[in-house]
Short mmCIF file of all heavy atoms in Angstrom, two decimals:
data_model
loop_
_atom_site.label_atom_id
_atom_site.label_comp_id
_atom_site.label_asym_id
_atom_site.label_seq_id
_atom_site.Cartn_x
_atom_site.Cartn_y
_atom_site.Cartn_z
N ASP A 342 0.10 7.35 0.44
CA ASP A 342 -1.16 8.06 0.20
C ASP A 342 -2.36 7.18 0.51
O ASP A 342 -3.35 7.65 1.04
CB ASP A 342 -1.26 8.56 -1.24
CG ASP A 342 -0.38 9.76 -1.50
OD1 ASP A 342 -0.03 10.45 -0.53
OD2 ASP A 342 -0.03 10.00 -2.67
N GLY A 343 -2.27 5.90 0.21
CA GLY A 343 -3.38 4.99 0.49
C GLY A 343 -3.55 4.74 1.98
O GLY A 343 -4.64 4.44 2.44
N ALA A 344 -2.47 4.87 2.73
CA ALA A 344 -2.52 4.60 4.16
C ALA A 344 -2.94 5.81 4.98
O ALA A 344 -3.39 5.68 6.10
CB ALA A 344 -1.16 4.12 4.66
N VAL A 345 -2.80 6.99 4.43
CA VAL A 345 -3.11 8.22 5.16
C VAL A 345 -4.56 8.58 4.94
O VAL A 345 -5.02 8.69 3.83
CB VAL A 345 -2.19 9.38 4.71
CG1 VAL A 345 -2.61 10.68 5.39
CG2 VAL A 345 -0.74 9.06 5.00
N VAL A 346 -5.29 8.79 6.03
CA VAL A 346 -6.69 9.20 5.93
C VAL A 346 -6.73 10.57 5.29
O VAL A 346 -6.00 11.46 5.67
CB VAL A 346 -7.34 9.25 7.33
CG1 VAL A 346 -8.73 9.84 7.25
CG2 VAL A 346 -7.37 7.87 7.94
N GLY A 347 -7.63 10.73 4.31
CA GLY A 347 -7.79 12.01 3.67
C GLY A 347 -7.05 12.15 2.37
O GLY A 347 -7.30 13.08 1.62
N CYS A 348 -6.14 11.24 2.04
CA CYS A 348 -5.44 11.32 0.76
C CYS A 348 -6.23 10.57 -0.29
O CYS A 348 -6.92 9.61 -0.01
CB CYS A 348 -4.05 10.68 0.85
SG CYS A 348 -2.81 11.79 1.46
N GLN A 349 -6.08 11.01 -1.51
CA GLN A 349 -6.71 10.28 -2.59
C GLN A 349 -5.65 9.94 -3.62
O GLN A 349 -4.69 10.66 -3.79
CB GLN A 349 -7.87 11.06 -3.19
CG GLN A 349 -7.52 12.45 -3.67
CD GLN A 349 -8.78 13.19 -4.12
OE1 GLN A 349 -9.89 12.75 -3.88
NE2 GLN A 349 -8.59 14.29 -4.78
N GLY A 350 -5.84 8.85 -4.30
CA GLY A 350 -4.89 8.41 -5.30
C GLY A 350 -5.31 8.85 -6.68
O GLY A 350 -6.01 9.83 -6.87
N GLY A 351 -4.87 8.10 -7.69
CA GLY A 351 -5.26 8.40 -9.06
C GLY A 351 -4.59 9.66 -9.57
O GLY A 351 -3.46 9.97 -9.23
N THR A 352 -5.30 10.39 -10.42
CA THR A 352 -4.73 11.59 -11.03
C THR A 352 -4.53 12.72 -10.03
O THR A 352 -3.76 13.63 -10.28
CB THR A 352 -5.64 12.09 -12.17
OG1 THR A 352 -6.93 12.35 -11.61
CG2 THR A 352 -5.74 11.05 -13.26
N ASP A 353 -5.20 12.67 -8.92
CA ASP A 353 -5.06 13.71 -7.91
C ASP A 353 -4.13 13.30 -6.79
O ASP A 353 -4.18 13.85 -5.70
CB ASP A 353 -6.43 14.06 -7.31
CG ASP A 353 -7.35 14.71 -8.32
OD1 ASP A 353 -6.86 15.46 -9.19
OD2 ASP A 353 -8.56 14.45 -8.22
N GLU A 354 -3.27 12.32 -7.03
CA GLU A 354 -2.41 11.80 -5.98
C GLU A 354 -1.62 12.93 -5.31
O GLU A 354 -1.09 13.80 -5.96
CB GLU A 354 -1.42 10.78 -6.56
CG GLU A 354 -0.72 10.01 -5.49
CD GLU A 354 -0.07 8.75 -6.03
OE1 GLU A 354 -0.47 8.28 -7.09
OE2 GLU A 354 0.83 8.27 -5.36
N GLY A 355 -1.60 12.90 -4.00
CA GLY A 355 -0.88 13.90 -3.23
C GLY A 355 -1.75 15.07 -2.79
O GLY A 355 -1.32 15.86 -1.99
N ARG A 356 -2.95 15.19 -3.32
CA ARG A 356 -3.85 16.26 -2.90
C ARG A 356 -4.70 15.75 -1.76
O ARG A 356 -5.10 14.60 -1.74
CB ARG A 356 -4.74 16.70 -4.05
CG ARG A 356 -3.94 17.40 -5.13
CD ARG A 356 -4.78 17.87 -6.25
NE ARG A 356 -5.87 18.66 -5.75
CZ ARG A 356 -6.92 19.01 -6.46
NH1 ARG A 356 -7.01 18.64 -7.71
NH2 ARG A 356 -7.89 19.71 -5.94
N TRP A 357 -5.03 16.62 -0.82
CA TRP A 357 -5.81 16.24 0.34
C TRP A 357 -7.28 16.39 0.05
O TRP A 357 -7.73 17.37 -0.51
CB TRP A 357 -5.46 17.10 1.55
CG TRP A 357 -4.07 16.84 2.00
CD1 TRP A 357 -2.97 17.59 1.72
CD2 TRP A 357 -3.61 15.74 2.77
NE1 TRP A 357 -1.85 17.03 2.28
CE2 TRP A 357 -2.23 15.89 2.93
CE3 TRP A 357 -4.23 14.64 3.33
CZ2 TRP A 357 -1.44 14.99 3.63
CZ3 TRP A 357 -3.45 13.75 4.05
CH2 TRP A 357 -2.09 13.93 4.18
N ARG A 358 -8.04 15.41 0.44
CA ARG A 358 -9.48 15.46 0.36
C ARG A 358 -10.01 16.11 1.64
O ARG A 358 -9.46 15.92 2.72
CB ARG A 358 -10.03 14.02 0.28
CG ARG A 358 -11.42 13.94 -0.23
CD ARG A 358 -11.94 12.54 -0.26
NE ARG A 358 -10.95 11.54 -0.61
CZ ARG A 358 -11.19 10.25 -0.58
NH1 ARG A 358 -12.36 9.79 -0.23
NH2 ARG A 358 -10.28 9.38 -0.91
N VAL A 359 -11.08 16.89 1.54
CA VAL A 359 -11.66 17.50 2.72
C VAL A 359 -12.25 16.40 3.59
O VAL A 359 -13.01 15.56 3.11
CB VAL A 359 -12.75 18.52 2.32
CG1 VAL A 359 -13.44 19.08 3.56
CG2 VAL A 359 -12.15 19.63 1.49
N ARG A 360 -11.88 16.38 4.85
CA ARG A 360 -12.38 15.38 5.78
C ARG A 360 -13.84 15.60 6.11
O ARG A 360 -14.29 16.74 6.25
CB ARG A 360 -11.61 15.48 7.08
CG ARG A 360 -10.70 14.35 7.30
CD ARG A 360 -10.17 14.41 8.72
NE ARG A 360 -8.98 13.61 8.75
CZ ARG A 360 -8.26 13.44 9.82
NH1 ARG A 360 -8.57 14.04 10.93
NH2 ARG A 360 -7.21 12.69 9.77
N GLU A 361 -14.54 14.49 6.26
CA GLU A 361 -15.93 14.56 6.70
C GLU A 361 -15.97 15.20 8.08
O GLU A 361 -15.20 14.85 8.96
CB GLU A 361 -16.49 13.14 6.76
CG GLU A 361 -17.90 13.04 7.26
CD GLU A 361 -18.33 11.59 7.42
OE1 GLU A 361 -17.73 10.71 6.81
OE2 GLU A 361 -19.29 11.38 8.17
N GLN A 362 -16.86 16.16 8.26
CA GLN A 362 -16.94 16.86 9.54
C GLN A 362 -17.43 15.92 10.64
O GLN A 362 -18.38 15.17 10.46
CB GLN A 362 -17.88 18.05 9.44
CG GLN A 362 -17.89 18.87 10.69
CD GLN A 362 -18.70 20.13 10.53
OE1 GLN A 362 -19.22 20.41 9.48
NE2 GLN A 362 -18.81 20.88 11.59
N ALA A 363 -16.76 15.96 11.76
CA ALA A 363 -17.14 15.16 12.92
C ALA A 363 -18.37 15.79 13.56
O ALA A 363 -18.39 16.99 13.81
CB ALA A 363 -15.99 15.08 13.90
N THR A 364 -19.40 14.99 13.81
CA THR A 364 -20.61 15.49 14.44
C THR A 364 -21.03 14.55 15.56
O THR A 364 -20.72 13.36 15.54
CB THR A 364 -21.78 15.61 13.44
OG1 THR A 364 -22.01 14.33 12.85
CG2 THR A 364 -21.48 16.62 12.35
N VAL A 365 -21.74 15.12 16.53
CA VAL A 365 -22.22 14.36 17.68
C VAL A 365 -23.71 14.63 17.83
O VAL A 365 -24.14 15.78 17.77
CB VAL A 365 -21.48 14.77 18.97
CG1 VAL A 365 -22.05 14.06 20.18
CG2 VAL A 365 -19.99 14.52 18.84
N VAL A 366 -24.50 13.56 18.02
CA VAL A 366 -25.92 13.70 18.36
C VAL A 366 -26.15 12.96 19.66
O VAL A 366 -25.43 12.01 19.98
CB VAL A 366 -26.85 13.14 17.25
CG1 VAL A 366 -26.69 13.93 15.97
CG2 VAL A 366 -26.57 11.66 17.02
N GLN A 367 -27.14 13.42 20.43
CA GLN A 367 -27.43 12.81 21.73
C GLN A 367 -28.92 12.64 21.91
O GLN A 367 -29.69 13.49 21.48
CB GLN A 367 -26.90 13.69 22.85
CG GLN A 367 -25.42 13.95 22.80
CD GLN A 367 -25.00 14.88 23.91
OE1 GLN A 367 -25.16 14.57 25.08
NE2 GLN A 367 -24.45 16.03 23.55
N TYR A 368 -29.30 11.55 22.57
CA TYR A 368 -30.71 11.33 22.92
C TYR A 368 -30.79 10.28 24.02
O TYR A 368 -29.82 9.58 24.31
CB TYR A 368 -31.52 10.90 21.69
CG TYR A 368 -31.00 9.66 20.98
CD1 TYR A 368 -31.50 8.40 21.28
CD2 TYR A 368 -30.02 9.77 19.99
CE1 TYR A 368 -31.04 7.26 20.63
CE2 TYR A 368 -29.55 8.64 19.34
CZ TYR A 368 -30.07 7.40 19.65
OH TYR A 368 -29.60 6.27 19.00
N GLU A 369 -31.95 10.18 24.63
CA GLU A 369 -32.17 9.20 25.68
C GLU A 369 -32.93 8.02 25.10
O GLU A 369 -33.83 8.19 24.28
CB GLU A 369 -32.98 9.82 26.82
CG GLU A 369 -33.08 8.88 28.02
CD GLU A 369 -33.77 9.54 29.21
OE1 GLU A 369 -33.66 10.76 29.36
OE2 GLU A 369 -34.40 8.79 29.98
N TRP A 370 -32.55 6.80 25.53
CA TRP A 370 -33.23 5.60 25.08
C TRP A 370 -33.20 4.59 26.22
O TRP A 370 -32.15 4.18 26.68
CB TRP A 370 -32.54 5.00 23.87
CG TRP A 370 -33.24 3.84 23.26
CD1 TRP A 370 -34.02 2.92 23.87
CD2 TRP A 370 -33.22 3.46 21.90
NE1 TRP A 370 -34.47 1.99 23.00
CE2 TRP A 370 -34.00 2.30 21.77
CE3 TRP A 370 -32.61 3.97 20.77
CZ2 TRP A 370 -34.19 1.65 20.55
CZ3 TRP A 370 -32.79 3.32 19.57
CH2 TRP A 370 -33.58 2.19 19.47
N CYS A 371 -34.36 4.20 26.68
CA CYS A 371 -34.50 3.19 27.75
C CYS A 371 -33.67 3.52 28.98
O CYS A 371 -33.06 2.64 29.59
CB CYS A 371 -34.14 1.81 27.22
SG CYS A 371 -35.14 1.24 25.86
N GLY A 372 -33.63 4.78 29.36
CA GLY A 372 -32.90 5.19 30.55
C GLY A 372 -31.41 5.37 30.35
O GLY A 372 -30.70 5.72 31.29
N ALA A 373 -30.93 5.14 29.13
CA ALA A 373 -29.51 5.33 28.83
C ALA A 373 -29.34 6.59 27.99
O ALA A 373 -30.23 6.98 27.25
CB ALA A 373 -28.95 4.13 28.07
N ARG A 374 -28.20 7.22 28.11
CA ARG A 374 -27.88 8.35 27.25
C ARG A 374 -27.09 7.80 26.08
O ARG A 374 -26.05 7.17 26.24
CB ARG A 374 -27.04 9.39 28.00
CG ARG A 374 -26.77 10.64 27.21
CD ARG A 374 -28.08 11.33 26.92
NE ARG A 374 -27.86 12.69 26.42
CZ ARG A 374 -28.84 13.49 26.15
NH1 ARG A 374 -30.09 13.12 26.33
NH2 ARG A 374 -28.60 14.69 25.69
N VAL A 375 -27.61 8.02 24.87
CA VAL A 375 -26.94 7.57 23.65
C VAL A 375 -26.24 8.77 23.03
O VAL A 375 -26.84 9.83 22.82
CB VAL A 375 -27.93 6.96 22.64
CG1 VAL A 375 -27.21 6.54 21.37
CG2 VAL A 375 -28.67 5.78 23.27
N VAL A 376 -24.95 8.60 22.77
CA VAL A 376 -24.15 9.61 22.10
C VAL A 376 -23.73 9.01 20.77
O VAL A 376 -23.03 8.00 20.73
CB VAL A 376 -22.91 10.00 22.94
CG1 VAL A 376 -22.04 10.99 22.19
CG2 VAL A 376 -23.33 10.54 24.29
N GLY A 377 -24.21 9.60 19.69
CA GLY A 377 -23.87 9.11 18.36
C GLY A 377 -22.76 9.95 17.76
O GLY A 377 -22.87 11.18 17.71
N ALA A 378 -21.70 9.31 17.34
CA ALA A 378 -20.56 10.01 16.76
C ALA A 378 -20.45 9.66 15.28
O ALA A 378 -20.53 8.49 14.91
CB ALA A 378 -19.28 9.61 17.48
N ARG A 379 -20.29 10.68 14.46
CA ARG A 379 -20.15 10.50 13.02
C ARG A 379 -18.90 11.23 12.56
O ARG A 379 -18.61 12.32 13.03
CB ARG A 379 -21.35 11.07 12.27
CG ARG A 379 -22.68 10.53 12.70
CD ARG A 379 -22.91 9.12 12.15
NE ARG A 379 -24.16 8.55 12.60
CZ ARG A 379 -24.32 7.79 13.67
NH1 ARG A 379 -23.30 7.50 14.43
NH2 ARG A 379 -25.49 7.28 13.99
N GLY A 380 -18.15 10.61 11.67
CA GLY A 380 -16.98 11.26 11.10
C GLY A 380 -15.67 10.78 11.71
O GLY A 380 -15.61 9.72 12.34
N ALA A 381 -14.62 11.56 11.49
CA ALA A 381 -13.27 11.21 11.94
C ALA A 381 -12.93 11.95 13.22
O ALA A 381 -13.16 13.16 13.32
CB ALA A 381 -12.26 11.58 10.85
N TYR A 382 -12.37 11.22 14.17
CA TYR A 382 -12.01 11.80 15.46
C TYR A 382 -10.55 11.58 15.77
O TYR A 382 -10.05 10.45 15.72
CB TYR A 382 -12.87 11.22 16.59
CG TYR A 382 -14.28 11.73 16.54
CD1 TYR A 382 -15.24 11.07 15.80
CD2 TYR A 382 -14.63 12.90 17.20
CE1 TYR A 382 -16.53 11.56 15.73
CE2 TYR A 382 -15.92 13.40 17.13
CZ TYR A 382 -16.86 12.72 16.40
OH TYR A 382 -18.14 13.21 16.32
N ASP A 383 -9.88 12.67 16.09
CA ASP A 383 -8.49 12.65 16.53
C ASP A 383 -8.32 13.82 17.51
O ASP A 383 -9.31 14.41 17.93
CB ASP A 383 -7.52 12.72 15.36
CG ASP A 383 -7.71 13.95 14.49
OD1 ASP A 383 -8.30 14.96 14.96
OD2 ASP A 383 -7.29 13.93 13.32
#
Side-chain angles (χ1 to χ4, degrees):
D342 285 338
V345 175
V346 173
C348 275
Q349 55 185 12
T352 59
D353 293 326
E354 192 163 339
R356 292 181 52 193
W357 294 99
R358 198 182 324 175
V359 175
R360 251 190 199 180
E361 177 185 340
Q362 185 174 358
T364 58
V365 176
V366 296
Q367 301 177 61
Y368 56 94
E369 187 174 330
W370 185 330
C371 300
R374 185 63 167 183
V375 179
V376 177
R379 305 284 177 267
Y382 287 89
D383 58 21

